[in-house]
Amino acid sequence: MKITTAQQHKIKDLFNKMNSKSDFLDLLNYAKSLIYKNKSFLFTEKQLNFYINKNESSNYKTFKIKKKSGKTRTIHSPKKGLKEFQKCLNIILSAIYQPHESAYGFVSGKSIVDNAKNHTGKNYVYNIDLKDFFPSVDANRVWGRLKAKPFNLGTTNERIQIANMIKAICCTPMQVERLINNKWVIITTSVLPQGAATSPILTNAICERLDIQLTKLSKRFGLEYSRYADDITFSSMHNTYVPKKGKQETIYEKKFFRQ
């Protein structure tokens, strides 16, 4: 949903002044009014408390879809009540944060075609697909990012509690792969689910440092760089990598352990 400049400014103002659960609830209800006008009921504190305190996988429906590669992707679709909170929260977060210029996925005014145009006509194109993009982001990383600019939810204890609420609404426990002590293990931890409306804006915010560093690296070697969600692409007219004789790249061998 696209909001007006005036609505964006109002969200920013309310967000910056927010210092209690009541303030957070009022902002969620303002966002809800932008989506549904006068056609829906306002969120209640009881509903908000439910999703803050009941951060469980049972709040999601899980199913699989086929990818272009033939493999499957697991989708965690939030159930109706939680979905409404996430839709409103997505409007709020999107009004506060503007993704890096190199980010093209889930960015207003940009498309997968715009992303591809950066690399058309190039002699060399190198593409990397990041595995399990959304679930690779732990809840603590979400919480830490919300405390930093431009969200600034780390300035008071009350705002830190709001960061905790947002983290609870946006993340859910699930089994994920992690590299721990050079071993791939399967653990259960709270992460961003693929299927939540809030996952794209939060991953773009968390990847901002990555985008900045890879943009600098690309400029250093005369490359084009862009990222469409989990799809990272470099391109150039010249060969920037000539491996030395006998040089090999170290790749982790996946051996799974449960802990």
Side-chain angles (χ1 to χ4, degrees):
M1 175 186 170
K2 195 169 184 179
I3 61 175
T4 67
T5 301
Q7 290 167 343
Q8 182 181 19
H9 287 326
K10 182 169 182 178
I11 288 173
K12 284 184 176 181
D13 184 56
L14 292 172
F15 191 92
N16 291 333
K17 292 177 179 177
M18 188 170 59
N19 210 41
S20 67
K21 182 188 289 185
S22 177
D23 292 339
F24 180 42
L25 185 61
D26 287 344
L27 181 52
L28 286 167
N29 279 320
Y30 174 68
K32 193 174 187 182
S33 72
L34 297 181
I35 299 173
Y36 299 107
K37 310 302 180 187
N38 297 320
K39 297 180 181 179
S40 68
F41 297 104
L42 297 179
F43 294 126
T44 65
E45 185 171 339
K46 183 178 179 180
Q47 289 174 311
L48 178 59
N49 288 337
F50 177 82
Y51 289 113
I52 290 170
N53 297 318
K54 193 180 180 183
N55 181 16
E56 300 175 357
S57 57
S58 60
N59 291 327
Y60 294 81
K61 297 177 182 177
T62 303
F63 58 93
K64 295 182 183 294
I65 60 172
K66 276 194 174 182
K67 298 194 290 185
K68 289 185 293 184
S69 64
K71 296 181 180 179
T72 60
R73 173 180 283 117
T74 302
I75 304 296
H76 292 79
S77 178
K79 293 182 181 178
K80 186 177 179 181
L82 178 59
K83 185 176 183 178
E84 294 302 314
F85 273 98
Q86 290 178 348
K87 284 170 63 176
C88 296
L89 191 50
N90 180 53
I91 288 176
I92 295 166
L93 297 175
S94 297
I96 304 300
Y97 178 73
Q98 178 62 43
H100 188 270
E101 61 183 11
S102 297
Y104 284 79
F106 312 105
V107 178
S108 178
K110 292 184 178 182
S111 70
I112 194 167
V113 175
D114 296 318
N115 180 63
K117 284 179 180 178
N118 290 294
H119 310 286
T120 54
K122 300 294 171 51
N123 290 331
Y124 299 90
V125 178
Y126 181 61
N127 182 262
I128 309 167
D129 184 57
L130 300 177
K131 186 177 182 298
D132 300 332
F133 184 55
F134 295 121
S136 69
V137 180
D138 292 341
N140 284 338
R141 290 185 68 191
V142 173
W143 182 68
R145 186 65 184 87
L146 290 169
K147 292 193 295 178
K149 294 180 179 180
F151 307 105
N152 296 317
L153 290 178
T155 53
T156 66
N157 288 333
E158 289 77 13
R159 285 177 69 81
I160 289 174
Q161 290 306 310
I162 294 172
N164 279 326
M165 296 176 206
I166 294 175
K167 176 187 73 172
I169 292 171
C170 298
C171 300
T172 190
M174 67 175 71
Q175 285 192 331
V176 292
E177 301 171 18
R178 292 292 183 267
L179 185 65
I180 300 175
N181 297 326
N182 289 324
K183 291 182 180 179
W184 285 99
V185 299
I186 298 176
I187 64 173
T188 298
T189 189
S190 188
V191 297
L192 288 177
Q194 171 106 34
T198 44
S199 292
I201 185 65
L202 288 170
T203 47
N204 274 337
I206 287 168
C207 285
E208 182 178 39
R209 185 179 296 178
L210 172 71
D211 289 332
I212 290 170
Q213 294 299 321
L214 291 183
T215 297
K216 288 180 180 178
L217 180 69
S218 298
K219 288 180 179 179
R220 178 183 170 190
F221 290 99
L223 311 176
E224 289 290 337
Y225 161 74
S226 69
R227 181 180 60 80
Y228 192 92
D230 58 351
D231 204 54
I232 289 176
T233 307
F234 297 92
S235 66
S236 70
M237 298 301 293
H238 57 283
N239 188 353
T240 59
Y241 177 69
V242 180
K244 295 180 180 179
K245 188 176 180 180
K247 184 177 180 180
Q248 290 184 326
E249 181 182 3
T250 300
I251 300 176
Y252 287 108
E253 181 182 357
K254 283 194 174 182
K255 292 182 180 180
F256 290 105
F257 300 84
R258 291 188 179 272
Q259 77 171 31

